[in-house]
Amino acid sequence: MMIERSVYKSVGRNEDATGIARRVAQISVSAIKQMPVLASRVEGCLSLGQGIPSFATPPFILEAVIEALRTDEAIGKYSLQPGMPRLKEAIADRLRNAKGIQADPESELFVSCGAMEAIAATLSTVVERGDEVLLPSPNYSSHIEQILFAEGVPVFVPLIEEEGWKLDIDGFKNKLTSRTKAIVLCNPMNPTGAVFSKEELLALAEIAVSRGLFIIADEAYDFLIYDDLPYFSLASIPELRDRLIACFSFSKMYCMTGWRIGYMVASARVIDQVLKVHDAFAICAPTISQYAAHAALKATNGLDGEGDRFIKTLIKELSARREFACARLDMLSHLFHYEKPRGAYYVFPRIVPEGVGDMDLALRLLYEARVITIPGSGFGPTGEGHVRISFGAAREDLNRAFDRIEDWAGIYK
Ligand SMILES: Cc1ncc(COP(=O)(O)O)c(C=O)c1O
């Protein structure tokens, strides 16, 4: 069945970009955020769309904030622009103890409005108009818009799907030009669920060092790796400090997506520059969220703190949801072929029936099966012909959503 082209238009309002700067007129709100807007007009949808885990922010964080709201009037005021000193110290401790990353809290990190703002500010800081930024394809869609907003040129390097969405190191080398300025890399990866190996990351770092490029690392899912796979962060290599800009988040680890809080680690020289952009756009990260982040870290000692127990339970539950989602996808093999994710909470299956586009499929799943998925082409050219499925939803909702897809997908049998 063909979907009316006019359906596409309803994804976003028709834009009038008269008088709007090109750098903004050319970008768009990502499909990840547009699909839920569309779905809000469809009664009773279930979401396998946006990456929001079903869990609430844990009580040990909420209680600390409630107490501070009652007793500490500083919570309602701007913090120091780079972040509250005690939070920055707690972040530096955690980086050192949990990941072997050394960062001077005074000069080599700052607290941002989520990893998102840190990455956007970084790209705006280092990319000049026309500079090329290499990134894997598929890739988290917001990075593409952030590069365009900085007036850079995204240059896509396809991942190797059949090898579990592996990095194609030669592919990166082949795309280097005199205009290449940076590499953006999300690990563990959204939307594929890939976790890159130490060897892959070091090979990429070698390219960056030899060509004087920045690596902008998005590590929003650094804690969320399955099957006890080793996790390696390039930020743990001191020799890369001049080249590496690593962005982290409290959103996923402590189920704090709405608090908008994260941080960035880089050389003091780069931090100084990025802070100018952070000041121009945000002044400081929300102070109330900095209190929350501080409470989160205080409860996390790498052993048996409330924070540690919360994170362990979260990983265990998401791991079970991953198994469940994969088992349900196995039953849909006439519709989807997938690589099992090794991190984050996404799976990025290829659409099996010939000639079925990802936008068509996502819209039909939305309107006919009432299940939200994200069309893959929003994640770069290699995303075409795929959809992103998040398994962050509660198990009951996951179950019902897959039931609906299975009932609907009978037409392809
Ligand atoms: C890869 C990736 N980076 C960054 C973010 C946003 O992180 P934050 O909430 O810290 O801005 C997301 C959210 O889904 C993400 O998937």
Side-chain angles (χ1 to χ4, degrees), residues 32-33 50-52 112-119 139-143 146 185-191 218-221 247-252 256-263 344-346 379 388:
I32 303 172
K33 283 100 181 180
Q50 205 171 351
I52 309 175
S112 59
C113 307
M116 190 82 159
E117 187 238 351
I119 300 163
N139 193 84
Y140 180 48
S141 43
S142 296
H143 296 156
Q146 289 165 334
L185 195 74
C186 168
N187 185 43
M189 214 203 185
N190 176 359
D218 179 345
E219 306 208 5
Y221 299 92
C247 303
F248 300 89
S249 176
F250 287 88
S251 289
K252 317 286 174 172
M256 291 174 63
T257 51
W259 296 78
R260 311 306 308 121
I261 184 105
Y263 55 96
Y345 36 71
Y346 308 102
F379 298 92
R388 192 192 75 174

Side-chain angles (χ1 to χ4, degrees), residues 106-118:
E106 185 58 36
S107 61
E108 293 179 321
L109 64 86
F110 87 93
V111 181
S112 59
C113 307
M116 190 82 159
E117 187 238 351

